[in-house]
Structures are given as C-alpha cells and as structure tokens.
Amino acid sequence: MYLQNYSLVSEFVLHGLCTSKHLQIFFFIFFSGIYVATVLGNLIIVVTVISDPHLLSSPMYFLLGNLSFLDIWFASFATPKMIRDFLSDRKLISFGGCMAQIFFLHFVGGAEMVLLVSMAYDRYVAICKPLHYMTMMNRQTCIRLVLVSWVIGFVHSISQVAFTVNLPYCGPNEVDSFFCDLPLVIKLACMDTYVLGILMISDSGLLSMSCFLLLLISYTAILITVRQHAPGGASKALLTCSAHIMVVTLFFGPCIFIYVWPFSRFSVDKLLSVFYTIFTPLLNPLIYTLRNKEMKISMKKLRNQCVTFH
C-alpha cells in the first residue's frame, strides 16, 4: 500500500514544563546540570567496561555497558531540546523533528526494556545455575541478547511511527508536554483516532507489561531457588539483585502508568515523563556504581591510569 503524508502541519508547539520566566531560568540551570551528569555518568561506565578486560569479559558488565550506552541516547532524544526551549518564548518543533522524537523514544525505550529482561536472565543463570553460567552466558549469547533488544526496539518503534507520520494533521498543533509522545500527538490528527490510538498504545503497553512480567518471574525464581537451597539466603539474593530491581521499578513504573492506563484517557503526566526520560538515565549509573565494588575498583584504576598518563 502506498503511504502518503497528508499533513498540512509543518511544526508543532510544545507547551513545555511551565510558563513562569523565573522557573524556566531555574529549570534551564537545573536540567542542564542533570543532563551533563547523566551523559558523563553513563559515559564513564561505558569507558570503564571497555577499558577493563575483566569487566568486558563478564556478561553482567557487558550488558551494563550496553544499558549505559542506551541511557545516553535515552537522555538525549528530548532533553537538549527542552533545555534550549527554556530560553525561548515559543517552543516550536518541526514535523520531522516531532516524528524523530517519537521514533527514538520508542526505539531506545523498547530496546532498554528488553535489555533489562536480558540482565534479569543473566542474574537468574548466575544465581540459579552457577555451574552452567559461563556456558549459557558466553560472549555470543550476550551479543545476541543485545542485538535482539535493538531489533525489538526498532520494530516496535517503526510500527508506531509508520502509522503516526501518515495521519492527517491539518488543524491543532499544540502538544501539552516538553516533547512529542504518541498519545499526545495522535489526538491532534484531523480524524477519529480512538481505535488506532488503542492499537498503538496497546503495542507500547503490551511491550511494557510483557517485559515487566518476565522480570518479575526471573527475580521470583531467583528468590525461590535461593531459599530452597540456602535457608535465609533469600535476603542475600535480594541484596544481590536490589540494584536491578530498583532500576526496573523506576523505569517500568511510569511507562506502565502512561501506556497501560485506561484507553479513554490519553493525557501524559508531565511529572512522570520528566522522571522516566531524564532522571532514570541519571539514576542508573548511580545505582549500579554506588552499590558495586568491582565497578568502583575499576573506575579507580582508570582514574589512576589517566593521572599517570598525564
């Protein structure tokens, strides 16, 4: 079928986070600091994993490095634009730019969801099948898991954008958020998008819930297995996986609220959007590094190497 873009709208107006001039200046400074810290924090993890052969050969850290790489992109699809808009009177985004934000949000977000499932599977194998860990989680398996996460994210995203970009946009062009997201954009189309909206948001909701349920199953299996083999060991296993569980809760909570909410209500809460698009990519490196001795030791080695080099 030949698809044509019937849109007459060439740009969208973003409402942003607030209208107060004083708050916008404060937010500009605050979110600029958050964004720099997010990119640097995740970049340090990626460089540390790559530069340390021991970490790079470890399935857990290999996947963690890929998670940080995705977090850099996830923090960058909308935040720089939002920061720049704090200094602008009219917050405009082109039609193509809006579609690009939707694409990268669902591409990187979908890939990260699947990657978190892979990380949970890694912990399940490490704790429940330790003798087979290096066989089951060899380098080829890890690479396949990463590639699968990217492919699923891409297919999920392209399925969303393919329908969205070809809707007729001929009237209202104001998006009540600081970035373009699916529920807010499709309701601006000059046609009844209720059924299409249900299908598209169900796609995101299904991916979110499927990954979340797989994660719950993995961590439940870990706790049950440890409890059966070592009395009182459940607390130790929970401590081992607590960083993963914390990241999963912070990432999936807002996503499920937004995309698995009753379909008659498509409004996206700005606070939740800020949290999972800006703060979650920042919290990931903090959670994993502050609670991980091996990562902190490798970071110290890397810092000492840099100091010695200079």
Side-chain angles (χ1 to χ4, degrees):
M1 185 177 70
Y2 177 72
L3 295 176
Q4 180 179 355
N5 180 13
Y6 294 99
S7 174
L8 299 178
V9 173
S10 61
E11 61 185 14
F12 291 95
V13 179
L14 302 173
H15 285 183
L17 290 181
C18 66
T19 56
S20 168
K21 290 287 185 183
H22 297 293
L23 271 179
Q24 289 193 53
I25 293 173
F26 169 76
F27 283 153
F28 172 79
I29 298 171
F30 177 73
F31 285 112
S32 294
I34 292 292
Y35 178 68
V36 170
T38 300
V39 173
L40 286 179
N42 283 289
L43 189 59
I44 288 171
I45 290 180
V46 173
V47 173
T48 301
V49 171
I50 292 174
S51 62
D52 190 323
H54 171 67
L55 294 184
L56 190 59
S57 62
S58 168
M60 183 178 78
Y61 293 107
F62 177 78
L63 296 175
L64 175 58
N66 280 276
L67 177 67
S68 291
F69 179 75
L70 287 176
D71 275 333
I72 293 173
W73 284 96
F74 198 63
S76 301
F77 86 94
T79 307
K81 164 71 175 162
M82 179 194 72
I83 291 171
R84 189 171 71 249
D85 283 345
F86 284 133
L87 303 179
S88 304
D89 292 329
R90 279 177 61 81
K91 302 166 177 55
L92 302 176
I93 185 170
S94 66
F95 183 87
C98 186
M99 295 301 116
Q101 283 193 343
I102 293 175
F103 173 79
F104 283 110
L105 168 64
H106 289 273
F107 177 28
V108 180
E112 185 160 332
M113 287 181 186
V114 179
L115 187 61
L116 287 171
V117 174
S118 300
M119 294 175 74
Y121 174 72
D122 169 72
R123 291 299 85 204
Y124 166 76
V125 176
I127 295 174
C128 300
K129 301 178 184 293
L131 297 179
H132 304 283
Y133 179 62
M134 294 312 298
T135 303
M136 296 177 67
M137 293 300 296
N138 56 48
R139 177 47 59 94
Q140 289 74 22
T141 301
C142 292
I143 293 174
R144 288 193 196 102
L145 289 173
V146 171
L147 289 177
V148 166
S149 69
W150 281 74
V151 169
I152 291 177
F154 179 79
V155 172
H156 163 67
S157 182
I158 208 72
S159 68
Q160 303 284 63
V161 175
F163 287 104
T164 309
V165 74
N166 288 287
L167 291 174
Y169 300 95
C170 53
N173 67 336
E174 296 188 5
V175 179
D176 187 20
S177 186
F178 61 93
F179 70 95
C180 291
D181 195 11
L182 199 64
L184 296 175
V185 173
I186 61 174
K187 72 178 184 181
L188 299 178
C190 302
M191 61 175 287
D192 184 4
T193 58
Y194 180 77
V195 175
L196 181 62
I198 289 178
L199 293 175
M200 294 172 72
I201 292 182
S202 295
D203 184 6
S204 296
L206 180 63
L207 180 62
S208 301
M209 283 301 298
S210 299
C211 291
F212 187 66
L213 289 175
L214 286 173
L215 288 163
L216 286 180
I217 292 170
S218 297
Y219 291 124
T220 301
I222 289 172
L223 296 177
I224 292 175
T225 302
V226 173
R227 180 170 297 222
Q228 288 176 346
H229 290 82
S235 59
K236 183 179 178 181
L238 184 61
L239 182 62
T240 304
C241 300
S242 60
H244 293 250
I245 294 171
M246 200 178 302
V247 169
V248 166
T249 303
L250 293 173
F251 186 79
F252 280 89
C255 290
I256 291 174
F257 182 87
I258 290 170
Y259 294 108
V260 193
W261 206 244
F263 296 125
S264 60
R265 178 184 173 183
F266 283 147
S267 62
V268 179
D269 190 285
K270 289 184 183 180
L271 180 62
L272 288 176
S273 298
V274 168
F275 191 81
Y276 87 91
T277 60
I278 299 174
F279 288 108
T280 301
L282 171 67
L283 292 174
N284 283 356
L286 291 177
I287 291 170
Y288 281 114
T289 54
L290 292 178
R291 301 177 64 89
N292 192 300
K293 291 182 180 180
E294 284 186 272
M295 182 62 71
K296 287 192 282 189
I297 291 171
S298 296
M299 285 182 174
K300 286 180 181 178
K301 288 181 181 178
L302 180 63
R303 184 186 63 188
N304 293 336
Q305 288 174 1
C306 292
V307 171
T308 303
F309 179 76
H310 288 291

